[in-house]
Amino acid sequence: MEKSSIKLAKPRLSFWNIFNMSFGFLGIQFGFALQGGFMSRIFQTLGASEGEIPMLWVAAPLTGLLVQPIIGYLSDRTWHPTWGRRKPFFLIGAILSTLTLFFLPHSPVLWVAAGCLWVLDASINISMEPFRALVADKLPESQRSYGFVMQTLIIGVGTWIASNLPWLVNKLGVSNVADPGIVPLSIKIAFAIGGAVFLLSILYTIFTTSEYPPEDLAELKKSNHESRGLLNGVKEIFQSISNMPKTMALLGIIQFFSWFAFLLCGVWLRLH
């Protein structure tokens, strides 16, 4: 979805350069793994039935569907001499995600938890979408596969650790049970740790990674001025979607129908 305006030949980067620019994905995956692994338990604790849980989850794919192209469009048009192009969105998403991860397991009622899920998913997507573009921005064609492999490795590590956080916290002596209607302390601590890891890993990438400036800053400003406005923005987003690589489009279709099937199963359970 994102596109880079960098036209100059890019130098090959070292292992540590690529690791640094990918490390923020550790926090992003902490957020996704905690959300995916433990939100249903939080919903049930706050009184949701099994049939209601898929309906509460429907906000997640819809949020990503809306947020990702918008953030891609905005970050393509952004440049700050200190913060760069993608890093402002890394930071904004990380701050919002961290605050939500800290608060979410303390939700007093079900509708608050559902609203927090929506905010959390949107915030994670704000950070995640520009990370994909950073690979194209920073790496020459010959290293891009290596960059995506590094991101995938960090994603795997983050998923495994975050998915086991409540268990690890419980092994350290924190209770995994609580009174009815109360989220266990192990879940609360795991989400707090996840929030801290999210922010710190994003900050690590921000402070260890520089971005290349636009080849022609005046041309970028001129283009932004000429294409400003809501209608032009929507038009450009749909043009980007229509030019999406076939593999990415197929993955998007598969993900959409996976969530759609999940929703239908929930509706069936609720009716039966």
Side-chain angles (χ1 to χ4, degrees):
M1 182 66 62
E2 305 250 1
K3 55 188 179 184
S4 171
S5 64
I6 308 300
K7 297 179 181 179
L8 297 175
K10 305 180 185 75
R12 290 179 63 84
L13 300 185
S14 69
F15 167 86
W16 287 112
N17 290 143
I18 298 174
F19 175 83
N20 291 343
M21 63 182 277
S22 304
F23 189 73
F25 252 112
L26 181 72
I28 291 172
Q29 205 57 34
F30 261 65
F32 274 129
L34 289 169
Q35 168 188 291
F38 304 101
M39 276 309 303
S40 294
R41 180 177 180 181
I42 292 174
F43 286 151
Q44 287 182 305
T45 299
L46 295 175
S49 67
E50 290 185 1
E52 291 173 328
I53 288 175
M55 297 295 294
L56 294 169
W57 269 102
V58 74
L62 293 178
T63 301
L65 187 66
L66 293 172
V67 170
Q68 289 189 19
I70 293 172
I71 295 302
Y73 170 75
L74 292 175
S75 69
D76 279 343
R77 297 163 61 89
T78 297
W79 176 254
H80 189 277
T82 301
W83 293 100
R85 167 171 289 159
R86 315 298 179 186
K87 291 191 288 186
F89 297 92
F90 296 167
L91 184 59
I92 292 169
I95 292 172
L96 292 174
S97 297
T98 297
L99 291 174
T100 308
L101 284 166
F102 272 97
F103 178 77
L104 195 156
H106 299 274
S107 299
V109 291
L110 182 60
W111 69 267
V112 173
C116 284
L117 173 61
W118 202 328
V119 173
L120 178 60
D121 200 87
S123 302
I124 295 174
N125 275 284
I126 290 173
S127 285
M128 182 187 70
E129 182 63 19
F131 260 98
R132 296 171 177 169
L134 191 63
V135 170
D137 288 349
K138 292 281 292 181
L139 297 179
E141 187 72 34
S142 61
Q143 284 191 303
R144 288 181 186 176
S145 295
Y146 184 45
F148 286 121
V149 168
M150 181 69 75
Q151 288 185 353
T152 302
L153 176 62
I154 292 174
I155 286 170
V157 172
T159 299
W160 185 85
I161 297 175
S163 298
N164 288 283
L165 259 183
W167 175 81
L168 292 171
V169 170
N170 178 241
K171 287 298 181 181
L172 293 175
V174 179
S175 177
N176 195 38
V177 295
D179 294 332
I182 304 296
V183 176
L185 184 59
S186 62
I187 300 292
K188 293 178 179 178
I189 292 178
F191 271 66
I193 293 172
V197 171
F198 200 126
L199 183 58
L200 291 174
S201 64
I202 292 291
L203 288 175
Y204 179 86
T205 288
I206 288 174
F207 288 117
T208 60
T209 303
S210 61
E211 294 189 72
Y212 300 133
E215 186 179 52
D216 189 338
L217 184 57
E219 180 62 28
L220 176 64
K221 291 180 178 179
K222 179 182 177 182
S223 176
N224 288 347
H225 178 75
E226 292 176 349
S227 61
R228 71 188 187 279
L230 179 61
L231 291 179
N232 283 325
V234 171
K235 181 181 178 181
E236 287 191 27
I237 288 171
F238 276 100
Q239 286 177 342
S240 298
I241 293 173
S242 65
N243 294 325
M244 185 184 303
K246 290 183 179 180
T247 303
M248 189 179 293
L250 288 172
L251 288 172
I253 292 171
I254 291 170
Q255 185 180 35
F256 173 80
F257 280 104
S258 297
W259 279 105
F260 186 67
F262 181 62
L263 176 61
L264 287 180
C265 288
V267 172
W268 185 87
L269 287 171
R270 190 170 184 179
L271 294 176
H272 294 80

